[in-house]
Amino acid sequence: MGPGPSNINARVARALSAPLIGHLDPYFLEVMDEVVQMLRLVFQTKNRLTIPISGTGSAGMEAAFVNFIEPGDKAIIGINGLFGQRMADICQRLGAKVIAVEADWGRIVEPGSLTRALKAHADARVLAVVHAETSTGAWQPLAELGEACARSETLFLVDAVTSLAGCLVKVDEWRIDICYSGTQKCLSVPPGLAPLTVSDKAVQVLAGRKSKVSSWYLDLGLIMKYWGKERVYHHTGPVSMIYALYEGLRLVLEEGLEERFARHRWVAELLEERLNSLGFVYYAQPGYRLPMLNAVKPPKNLDIHHTRKRLLSQYNVELGGGLGPLKDKIWRIGLMGESATKENVDYLAAALAEIMNG
Amino acid sequence: MGPGPSNINARVARALSAPLIGHLDPYFLEVMDEVVQMLRLVFQTKNRLTIPISGTGSAGMEAAFVNFIEPGDKAIIGINGLFGQRMADICQRLGAKVIAVEADWGRIVEPGSLTRALKAHADARVLAVVHAETSTGAWQPLAELGEACARSETLFLVDAVTSLAGCLVKVDEWRIDICYSGTQKCLSVPPGLAPLTVSDKAVQVLAGRKSKVSSWYLDLGLIMKYWGKERVYHHTGPVSMIYALYEGLRLVLEEGLEERFARHRWVAELLEERLNSLGFVYYAQPGYRLPMLNAVKPPKNLDIHHTRKRLLSQYNVELGGGLGPLKDKIWRIGLMGESATKENVDYLAAALAEIMNG
């Protein structure tokens, strides 16, 4: 019940341990095609360029910027937590001029502030936000930003690492141009792959680059030739992890996206009820709290550091600690994918009650 | 029996399917420490900075260059196949001036040519070669190059993707400064991780950089803080793949490095005997042929394309095709890790004899 990796289903575990085959084997190419089709359903997109990047969610973030940013480009970035900061760091390394639109940790970045920045910097290459800020639990609204970018040359870039398959992510309807995720959150597949989808508008920007992409490994022009019809060898596909993603996506679609989102929602409501009654206070801005990542301040009579250790050693429950300025101030409780169950909530609440009364 | 991924042991399959835990869980940190210790034994090094990069072998190649090359640096690169070409491509993207020392595909790059290039470009940042050129089967000699680099400021960079754990790779004795591998070859772990080791001399170069590393994901300065004592979160470690590497390394060390190298050698000799008697011709330079990657030209009466397909569909045997200028000209037969067995050689030879006799 930390901020990811979440638990995996037995079917995903079996897929992981299946015999290896070559990354250009005809059967494996079929598996790849089905992964792409299922990813499109989960991202709610028709984007041709929809693939898993061979690295963790952070590799997805890097791929999302390195392919579209050239030195000197402007990048408008919403920063209200660790992952917005990371976006800015990556952009600076690529020689971009970062226009930071900041908000306090725990709050959303006001869409109005971002659209004003877009008006002031109409030549920005990207406007980037984190949908689900895993460091704070804030749930960023997106639709208005997508509309604004769609009326401009700017690409709308969204980090959906923690949100995808846990709450609505409508890539096409919300006019998102570049969207990436990680496998180890609500998809409930081990960490190691970063699903990514890219709009035609963004593909045109990629095609019009003046310079080569600085990363060979994450160069989408090359990666597309392996995942597309040409099947040109790029790097050795992480076969076992692709098997696992295949099975994980099947489980998501068997459950149904709406049903899965509803499950995440009501399990999170149940947690909130239990934690409120134990004296916990939620950290993120009211009305914008993620169901799958609950940032909470324990009551003062509970040793925040010691209790988390005890939950792990004595109760076998993992919670996440705070990052950056929230270190030792909050817990981050994940309810993601296979881990988002009433059983888990009940068990955690019972353990906390036992510790607090003991 | 292709150029990787090789087969995995049942113990590695079981490790892959073990329950997930957090990438900062105390138990997982212990697993990480043991992985590092075992990697040092396999690389035959005492290098403190020895870790698996969270990506495939090609991510290892990119990490090896992106951390040490700054724009304008000179890179001397031995090019005698696809992977040397890839090194040059990566360096050019990083703004390096590439000094290519070329040889025909299938031949080694003469050490004398490389040391002459080093004399002519004493200010070169790296001298890089591919130990086991997977596209041709050539086995590059290293010791003389390491000596030459050790007497200069230049870092000696070696691609050991296909060689590590299949033949001698003595990082310290051969004075290699930067050495990376992939898990899916002679380590017999699925593709997805790239073991990397870096000498103190290279760590000093990293510390003395004028510019930030252009890749955030592969920035060794940040990654070291997660793998080192600080345990600062960087990216979510690919937990299941690390489990698999842990078990794969245990298997390598239980067998013993010398014993494992000897097995690769005699199984390759057996294959050569069988293939010679069937009229196959080896492609790589005599005296410099890898045991784990056998590039061979089939006899003229055998349809190179059709036979390889038939081996897969009818006999369940995967072989690799040629890459680049060798497309449709050779087969690449892998004898790597778990796949390097007499049974496999006998079965392939029997299948080929059956096909050739109609």
Side-chain angles (χ1 to χ4, degrees):
Chain A
M1 302 178 76
S6 52
N7 291 335
I8 58 173
N9 187 286
R11 277 168 52 188
V12 172
R14 272 200 299 278
L16 272 170
S17 62
L20 272 281
I21 54 172
H23 51 287
L24 292 168
D25 186 292
Y27 174 73
F28 187 66
L29 300 180
E30 279 176 39
V31 171
M32 289 167 64
D33 284 344
E34 288 185 47
V35 164
V36 166
Q37 284 165 32
M38 290 191 285
L39 278 180
R40 287 194 189 117
L41 293 174
V42 174
F43 272 124
Q44 306 202 28
T45 184
K46 294 198 171 74
N47 284 340
R48 201 175 65 87
L49 178 44
T50 303
I51 54 167
I53 293 287
S54 301
T56 69
S58 298
M61 184 188 284
E62 188 147 302
F65 285 100
V66 75
N67 282 281
F68 305 100
I69 294 282
E70 293 189 80
D73 281 351
K74 284 184 189 170
I76 302 168
I77 300 181
I79 303 179
N80 58 340
L82 185 77
F83 294 93
Q85 288 180 341
R86 181 170 297 181
M87 284 177 163
D89 187 350
I90 288 176
C91 282
Q92 277 152 356
R93 287 165 190 255
L94 297 172
K97 184 172 181 315
V98 171
I99 292 120
V101 180
E102 298 183 79
D104 288 343
W105 284 45
R107 302 195 68 80
I108 61 163
V109 184
E110 285 301 329
S113 310
L114 288 160
T115 51
R116 274 195 299 280
L118 183 59
K119 265 188 200 147
H121 303 277
D123 57 340
R125 174 61 73 209
V126 300
L127 184 155
V129 291
V130 178
H131 189 208
E133 182 45 85
T134 321
S135 62
T136 69
W139 190 349
Q140 179 69 36
L142 299 179
E144 186 182 335
L145 302 173
E147 283 305 316
C149 289
R151 287 190 300 268
S152 76
E153 295 295 303
T154 303
L155 300 174
F156 185 34
L157 190 159
V158 172
D159 178 315
V161 168
T162 292
S163 54
L164 191 72
C167 64
L168 263 186
V169 178
K170 294 179 134 181
V171 167
D172 286 358
E173 193 178 315
W174 294 346
R175 314 292 293 266
I176 303 172
D177 293 303
I178 306 157
C179 189
Y180 59 89
S181 188
T183 42
Q184 79 278 15
K185 311 279 187 179
C186 297
L187 287 167
S188 271
V189 170
L193 293 175
L196 171 74
T197 187
V198 176
S199 73
D200 289 345
K201 178 179 169 183
V203 168
Q204 281 170 23
V205 169
L206 181 60
R209 283 182 67 103
K210 288 175 225 96
S211 58
K212 267 194 181 182
V213 174
S214 69
S215 168
W216 180 91
Y217 187 64
L218 298 174
D219 183 334
L220 286 174
L222 301 175
I223 295 171
M224 277 161 74
K225 285 187 190 155
Y226 171 48
W227 283 84
K229 285 200 182 113
E230 303 95 321
R231 301 298 185 191
V232 176
Y233 163 64
H234 179 246
H235 65 273
T236 303
V239 176
S240 303
M241 282 297 305
I242 299 281
Y243 288 162
L245 178 56
Y246 175 89
E247 201 57 34
L249 288 167
R250 270 166 44 102
L251 284 158
V252 169
L253 296 171
E254 282 171 22
E255 179 174 12
L257 287 178
E258 285 305 329
E259 291 76 5
R260 195 173 178 92
F261 302 156
R263 172 165 62 83
H264 280 82
R265 212 160 42 231
W266 77 257
V267 171
E269 281 163 12
L270 190 67
L271 180 73
E272 189 170 0
E273 208 178 289
R274 300 284 160 83
L275 291 185
N276 281 340
S277 74
L278 289 168
F280 283 67
V281 176
Y282 272 64
Y283 180 74
Q285 183 173 347
Y288 298 95
R289 289 178 188 152
L290 293 167
M292 70 287 286
L293 195 287
N294 302 271
V296 296
K297 291 189 206 177
K300 289 209 175 84
N301 58 337
L302 209 59
D303 181 319
I304 191 163
H305 192 66
H306 178 72
T307 308
R308 191 159 72 91
K309 275 198 167 168
R310 193 167 154 201
L311 282 168
L312 183 64
S313 61
Q314 194 173 334
Y315 295 90
N316 214 21
V317 172
E318 178 196 67
L319 303 183
L323 294 172
L326 299 177
K327 191 166 154 45
D328 297 326
K329 292 195 178 145
I330 59 163
W331 287 342
R332 293 178 302 145
I333 306 177
L335 292 169
M336 301 177 179
E338 291 289 313
S339 305
T341 65
K342 179 173 185 299
E343 288 81 351
N344 278 352
V345 170
D346 287 344
Y347 181 69
L348 172 63
L352 286 170
E354 206 168 272
I355 291 171
M356 291 169 80
N357 298 327
Chain B
M1 301 177 76
S6 52
N7 291 334
I8 58 172
N9 188 285
R11 277 168 52 189
V12 172
R14 271 199 299 276
L16 273 169
S17 61
L20 272 281
I21 53 173
H23 51 288
L24 293 169
D25 186 290
Y27 174 73
F28 187 66
L29 300 180
E30 279 176 39
V31 171
M32 288 168 65
D33 284 345
E34 288 185 46
V35 163
V36 166
Q37 284 165 32
M38 290 192 285
L39 278 180
R40 286 193 189 118
L41 293 174
V42 173
F43 273 123
Q44 305 202 28
T45 185
K46 295 199 172 73
N47 285 340
R48 201 176 66 88
L49 178 43
T50 303
I51 53 165
I53 293 287
S54 301
T56 69
S58 298
M61 184 188 284
E62 189 147 301
F65 285 100
V66 76
N67 282 282
F68 305 99
I69 294 282
E70 293 190 80
D73 281 352
K74 285 184 188 172
I76 301 169
I77 299 180
I79 304 178
N80 58 341
L82 185 77
F83 294 92
Q85 288 180 343
R86 181 169 298 180
M87 285 177 162
D89 187 350
I90 288 176
C91 283
Q92 278 153 356
R93 287 166 190 255
L94 296 172
K97 185 174 181 313
V98 171
I99 293 120
V101 180
E102 297 184 79
D104 288 343
W105 283 44
R107 301 195 69 80
I108 60 164
V109 184
E110 285 301 329
S113 310
L114 287 159
T115 51
R116 273 194 300 278
L118 183 60
K119 264 186 201 146
H121 304 277
D123 57 340
R125 174 61 72 207
V126 300
L127 184 155
V129 291
V130 179
H131 189 207
E133 183 45 85
T134 322
S135 62
T136 69
W139 191 348
Q140 179 68 37
L142 298 179
E144 187 182 332
L145 302 173
E147 282 307 315
C149 289
R151 288 189 301 266
S152 76
E153 294 296 300
T154 303
L155 301 173
F156 186 32
L157 190 160
V158 173
D159 177 315
V161 169
T162 293
S163 55
L164 191 72
C167 64
L168 263 185
V169 178
K170 295 180 135 180
V171 166
D172 286 358
E173 193 177 315
W174 295 346
R175 314 293 294 266
I176 302 173
D177 293 302
I178 306 157
C179 190
Y180 59 89
S181 188
T183 42
Q184 78 278 14
K185 311 278 189 182
C186 297
L187 288 167
S188 270
V189 170
L193 293 175
L196 171 75
T197 187
V198 176
S199 73
D200 289 344
K201 178 178 169 184
V203 169
Q204 281 170 23
V205 168
L206 180 60
R209 282 183 68 105
K210 287 174 229 100
S211 58
K212 267 195 180 181
V213 174
S214 68
S215 169
W216 180 92
Y217 187 64
L218 299 174
D219 184 334
L220 286 174
L222 301 176
I223 295 172
M224 277 160 74
K225 285 188 193 156
Y226 172 47
W227 283 84
K229 283 198 186 119
E230 304 94 323
R231 301 297 184 192
V232 176
Y233 164 63
H234 177 247
H235 65 273
T236 303
V239 176
S240 303
M241 282 297 305
I242 300 281
Y243 288 162
L245 178 58
Y246 174 90
E247 200 58 35
L249 288 166
R250 271 166 43 102
L251 284 158
V252 168
L253 295 171
E254 283 171 22
E255 179 174 11
L257 286 177
E258 286 304 329
E259 291 75 5
R260 195 172 178 93
F261 302 156
R263 172 166 62 85
H264 280 83
R265 213 158 44 229
W266 76 258
V267 171
E269 282 163 11
L270 190 67
L271 179 73
E272 188 170 3
E273 208 177 289
R274 299 285 160 82
L275 292 185
N276 281 340
S277 74
L278 289 167
F280 283 67
V281 177
Y282 271 65
Y283 181 75
Q285 182 174 349
Y288 298 95
R289 290 181 188 150
L290 293 166
M292 70 288 286
L293 194 289
N294 301 271
V296 296
K297 292 187 203 180
K300 289 209 176 81
N301 57 338
L302 209 59
D303 181 319
I304 191 164
H305 193 65
H306 178 72
T307 307
R308 191 160 70 92
K309 277 198 165 168
R310 194 168 153 198
L311 282 167
L312 183 62
S313 60
Q314 194 173 334
Y315 295 90
N316 215 18
V317 173
E318 178 195 70
L319 303 183
L323 293 172
L326 298 177
K327 191 166 153 49
D328 298 326
K329 290 193 179 147
I330 59 163
W331 286 343
R332 292 178 302 145
I333 305 176
L335 292 169
M336 301 176 178
E338 291 289 311
S339 304
T341 64
K342 181 174 184 300
E343 287 80 352
N344 278 352
V345 170
D346 286 345
Y347 181 70
L348 172 63
L352 286 171
E354 207 168 88
I355 291 170
M356 291 170 81
N357 297 327

